[in-house]
Amino acid sequence: MTEDSSNWHPALQKLAARHRRRLRLSSLVVFLMLSGILLLVMVKALTSQNLGSLLTLGLTGLVLLPSIGLAGGLMWYIDRSATRKLASANQLVSGSTMQIARLTPIKALMSGHLVEMILSTEARVYAVFEQSMRLLSPHETGVQLYGRSFLQGDELVAFAPNDVAFFGKVVEPKVAQRNSRWLRIFMWVGLIVVIIVSLSLFGPLL
């Protein structure tokens, strides 16, 4: 994460620091896993001293090399996506007026958590936030809310009293819940298809 976050909102700075820690930990875990696999194959090849073990070692090396490149590319993509999201949130916070809103969690969806917010003008806004609402009270909670026009599809940033940041979008509640149901159905269908294909391919080998 190369974006300078020193002048960001404290909650965004915390998210940026947490992201860097998780990315370093994930990179370390992937490196140790791949190194462990290569080490085990090398030990087996050196102790066995037969052609089959040497061929396995060479094949493992050919597989691990692109795997390392793929893992590095994935880490880079995750870092870039998180940096863009945090930078976009910081721009939204800097370019919009803060409002005090009363937030009430409604329902957990596949894409996040559906909430209802009552603005200082008593207008009601419904949004889906990506983060879990477990850190907030299940009842009404006051938050600092940033948004441009609060129309459907507009991005929002909310800061809870415990300095936790939430990113989301304004939605129409019925549409969001219907889309979540369809997404859940598609996921179950996909899982069943994967299980059937796996059993048909690998079943005779079991």
Side-chain angles (χ1 to χ4, degrees), residues 177-190:
Q177 294 183 65
R178 182 170 64 248
N179 292 340
S180 179
R181 285 194 295 269
W182 279 111
L183 182 59
R184 184 176 287 107
I185 291 173
F186 289 147
M187 289 185 64
W188 276 109
V189 170

Side-chain angles (χ1 to χ4, degrees), residues 4-195:
D4 182 18
S5 59
S6 58
N7 58 346
W8 288 5
H9 188 282
L12 296 180
Q13 292 183 22
K14 285 185 178 180
L15 278 180
R18 188 182 307 135
H19 165 71
R20 286 191 291 267
R21 289 194 299 269
R22 288 179 177 175
L23 191 65
R24 285 195 293 266
L25 180 60
S26 300
S27 301
L28 179 62
V29 169
V30 170
F31 173 76
L32 291 177
M33 287 178 58
L34 296 179
S35 301
I37 293 173
L38 184 58
L39 181 62
L40 288 175
V41 175
M42 288 179 62
V43 170
K44 183 177 181 181
L46 293 175
T47 53
S48 299
Q49 294 182 351
N50 56 50
L51 183 60
S53 297
L54 293 176
L55 290 175
T56 302
L57 176 60
L59 181 61
T60 303
L62 290 176
V63 172
L64 287 182
L65 284 176
S67 299
I68 293 173
L70 182 62
L74 180 61
M75 294 299 174
W76 175 84
Y77 175 76
I78 293 174
D79 179 54
R80 187 173 179 84
S81 299
T83 301
R84 285 183 173 179
K85 181 179 293 186
L86 289 170
S88 176
N90 182 64
Q91 290 178 358
L92 181 61
V93 171
S94 302
S96 57
T97 304
M98 185 268 291
Q99 293 198 41
I100 299 298
R102 304 194 301 275
L103 182 150
T104 305
I106 297 178
K107 185 179 182 181
L109 305 178
M110 294 295 293
S111 56
H113 209 109
L114 179 64
V115 302
E116 178 191 56
M117 292 177 292
I118 303 177
L119 307 182
S120 54
T121 59
E122 296 302 322
R124 294 179 183 269
V125 175
Y126 295 90
V128 172
F129 284 109
E130 299 173 5
Q131 291 88 341
S132 171
M133 297 286 112
R134 67 181 184 278
L135 297 177
L136 296 181
S137 167
H139 309 293
E140 188 175 271
T141 303
V143 297
Q144 298 177 6
L145 184 64
Y146 294 86
R148 292 189 172 87
S149 57
F150 300 104
L151 299 177
Q152 186 171 345
D154 284 351
E155 294 189 358
L156 300 174
V157 177
F159 297 117
N162 50 0
D163 227 14
V164 176
F166 297 96
F167 306 145
K169 287 186 177 182
V170 180
V171 298
E172 202 284 318
K174 292 183 179 179
V175 174
Q177 294 183 65
R178 182 170 64 248
N179 292 340
S180 179
R181 285 194 295 269
W182 279 111
L183 182 59
R184 184 176 287 107
I185 291 173
F186 289 147
M187 289 185 64
W188 276 109
V189 170
L191 179 61
I192 293 172
V193 170
V194 169
I195 293 175

